[in-house]
Amino acid sequence: DSGVTQTPKHLITATGQRVTLRCSPRSGDLSVYWYQQSLDQGLQFLIQYYNGEERAKGNILERFSAQQFPDLHSELNLSSLELGDSALYFCASSPRTGNNEQFFGPGTRLTVL
Amino acid sequence: GENVEQHPSTLSVQEGDSAVIKCTYSDSASNYFPWYKQELGKRPQLIIDIRSNVGEKKDQRIAVTLNKTAKHFSLHITETQPEDSAVYFCAASKRDYKLSFGAGTTVTVRA
């Protein structure tokens, strides 16, 4: 167990819908990263937050957004869902920017029907 | 951006033999190279990492080597066991800390 928690574990929804994925980092970790893992694209970095502020962006679609709250948990919002958004979504946390070690949560499996 | 290539995509070894996975990276500014192990349906788990100021690091049966000049790094697993069967990912990052992953290597250890 990495200490990073994610909810829900599974999510099944329909095209066009909106969902919210939640992540709680390890105690004391200030950075949260979101990754998408699909069969054809592998593990792709989406976005990073550090202590409530956006720090880096990757290949995140405009339909996706995220935020990190004062208690350091983070939410990833996915809207206007398409079939191709079906994937495993992982968050990872690290102690502070400057320490690269990232520990992954168990992931949320999103299925868009 | 950073491009990480990983080979081979699949690897089958006899129990007790060694396994080697190789990765190359494109950005010379990358300075941190972790390896993750992922079992089916589970989270990637950090198994070993190396920083650019070190050429080799070992932890029991696993070791990682880094050649900064050639921009490649490798994972070595010795005395493989059935529980080593999994998908292994290499990754690289620099000061922006986001990880760029290789495509993964599916390792199967035959009993």
Side-chain angles (χ1 to χ4, degrees):
Chain A
D1 185 1
S2 66
V4 180
T5 61
Q6 289 185 249
T7 56
K9 283 187 179 180
H10 303 278
L11 203 46
I12 301 175
T13 188
T15 55
Q17 296 297 305
R18 172 190 169 95
V19 297
T20 297
L21 313 183
R22 183 188 169 106
C23 167
S24 292
R26 296 185 318 162
S27 177
D29 284 1
L30 299 179
S31 273
V32 170
Y33 307 78
W34 286 97
Y35 293 89
Q36 179 192 57
Q37 185 175 36
S38 56
L39 284 174
D40 58 344
Q41 292 291 318
L43 272 161
Q44 298 285 326
F45 168 73
L46 295 178
I47 197 164
Q48 177 204 359
Y49 279 83
Y50 174 74
N51 203 20
E53 294 189 2
E54 182 184 304
R55 180 59 65 100
K57 250 182 178 178
N59 300 322
I60 188 167
L61 299 171
E62 286 191 10
R63 301 183 285 109
F64 296 1
S65 65
Q67 54 185 327
Q68 186 179 27
F69 295 85
D71 66 353
L72 301 177
H73 90 271
S74 177
E75 293 181 356
L76 179 66
N77 301 296
L78 314 176
S79 61
S80 303
L81 286 168
E82 302 175 358
L83 295 177
D85 298 327
S86 296
L88 263 171
Y89 291 85
F90 288 103
C91 82
S93 72
S94 66
R96 61 188 180 278
T97 193
N99 183 331
N100 313 74
E101 289 180 333
Q102 294 182 25
F103 298 90
F104 281 71
T108 293
R109 181 173 293 281
L110 173 66
T111 302
V112 182
L113 300 175
Chain B
E2 174 66 276
N3 181 43
V4 178
E5 294 192 357
Q6 183 171 347
H7 299 279
S9 57
T10 61
L11 182 59
S12 179
V13 296
Q14 190 69 37
E15 183 178 358
D17 287 350
S18 295
V20 180
I21 304 170
K22 298 182 179 182
C23 289
T24 61
Y25 61 99
S26 61
D27 193 336
S28 56
S30 289
N31 58 5
Y32 175 67
F33 307 93
W35 287 87
Y36 285 85
K37 175 183 180 182
Q38 187 178 28
E39 297 175 358
L40 191 62
K42 299 199 173 178
R43 64 184 175 91
Q45 187 172 4
L46 179 67
I47 57 172
I48 195 167
D49 57 14
I50 192 167
R51 299 181 190 277
S52 59
N53 58 347
V54 176
E56 184 174 355
K57 185 176 178 180
K58 191 173 181 181
D59 183 3
Q60 298 183 348
R61 294 187 299 107
I62 59 174
V64 58
T65 59
L66 171 65
N67 183 326
K68 285 189 296 182
T69 303
K71 288 191 281 188
H72 68 69
F73 56 113
S74 300
L75 178 72
H76 304 251
I77 306 173
T78 58
E79 300 172 17
T80 52
Q81 301 168 5
E83 52 265 36
D84 295 329
S85 295
V87 180
Y88 291 80
F89 292 94
C90 63
S93 77
K94 47 185 181 179
R95 289 186 64 80
D96 59 2
Y97 311 121
K98 64 182 182 182
L99 292 172
S100 297
F101 284 90
T105 297
T106 301
V107 174
T108 304
V109 179
R110 307 186 307 271

